[in-house]
Amino acid sequence: MALQNNPGQASAEQPRFPIRFITDTRWTWFWMIVRLYAGWQWIAAGWAKLNDATWVGSKAGVSLAGFLNHSITLAAGVHPNVQPWYAWFVQNIILPQVAAWSYVVSFGEFLVGVGLLLGILTGLAAFFGGLMNFNYLLAGSVSINPILLVLEIGLVLAWRIAGWWGGDRWLLPALRRIRIRR
């Protein structure tokens, strides 16, 4: 413990490694691997949906409705896989507009993947990817969702360097200059 000016007060020192791990550009290589892996997963999932008429097209919403209706059935029992409050949300908020949400999911997955692969607005893309993974988990789908959620939490924390070898290296400073000029 490091002592402060007041001899009666003590405080814990900041751990150096965790801070450097998410802020030091020497760790960019690691975050680029994480970003590319997560981005590829999102691109693949989004691309498959964008080329499926039951997600985007003449039958939009059919696949999503099937997934969500199954998740509602998982809300029964003493220890349900889907919490009743989330089943209510799905049934009353999402399902009435399932076709529109099907487009949101399909394009959202693809755009998150593009952002992560290109390193453009990496922190924002990872946040929205994590939000989707969290919702998929709440709907009872495990699959790769917990892995991607953990990786995306890391990317959100390391947003300053996660896109350093990508578009953020130039985009983020340009956005700061635009904000300062106002």
Side-chain angles (χ1 to χ4, degrees), residues 39-168:
W40 180 255
Q41 295 298 319
W42 283 114
I43 285 275
W47 186 253
K49 287 176 180 68
L50 289 174
N51 289 293
D52 184 343
T54 63
W55 280 95
V56 175
S58 60
K59 299 177 185 175
V62 171
S63 289
L64 183 58
F67 171 75
L68 293 175
N69 282 317
H70 174 69
S71 74
I72 291 170
T73 66
L74 300 175
V78 178
H79 301 290
N81 288 337
V82 174
Q83 295 300 302
W85 66 266
Y86 194 76
W88 180 93
F89 172 76
V90 164
Q91 194 167 22
N92 295 290
I93 306 297
I94 305 299
L95 281 176
Q97 302 296 325
V98 73
W101 281 105
S102 187
Y103 278 87
V104 169
V105 168
S106 301
F107 281 98
E109 287 184 357
F110 186 75
L111 291 173
V112 163
V114 169
L116 292 176
L117 276 180
L118 299 178
I120 297 173
L121 300 174
T122 303
L124 195 60
F127 171 79
F128 282 109
L131 184 64
M132 284 189 286
N133 286 129
F134 187 66
N135 275 282
Y136 300 159
L137 286 166
L138 285 173
S141 175
V142 178
S143 183
I144 195 170
N145 293 307
I147 295 167
L148 286 177
L149 180 59
V150 169
L151 295 177
E152 288 154 352
I153 289 170
L155 288 169
V156 167
L157 292 172
W159 69 273
R160 292 180 187 176
I161 63 165
W164 186 256
W165 287 347
D168 283 348

Side-chain angles (χ1 to χ4, degrees), residues 20-21 23-31 161 164-165:
R20 287 184 181 153
F21 189 54
T23 60
D24 191 333
T25 55
R26 289 178 286 187
W27 284 100
T28 298
W29 65 271
F30 174 82
W31 292 111
I161 63 165
W164 186 256
W165 287 347

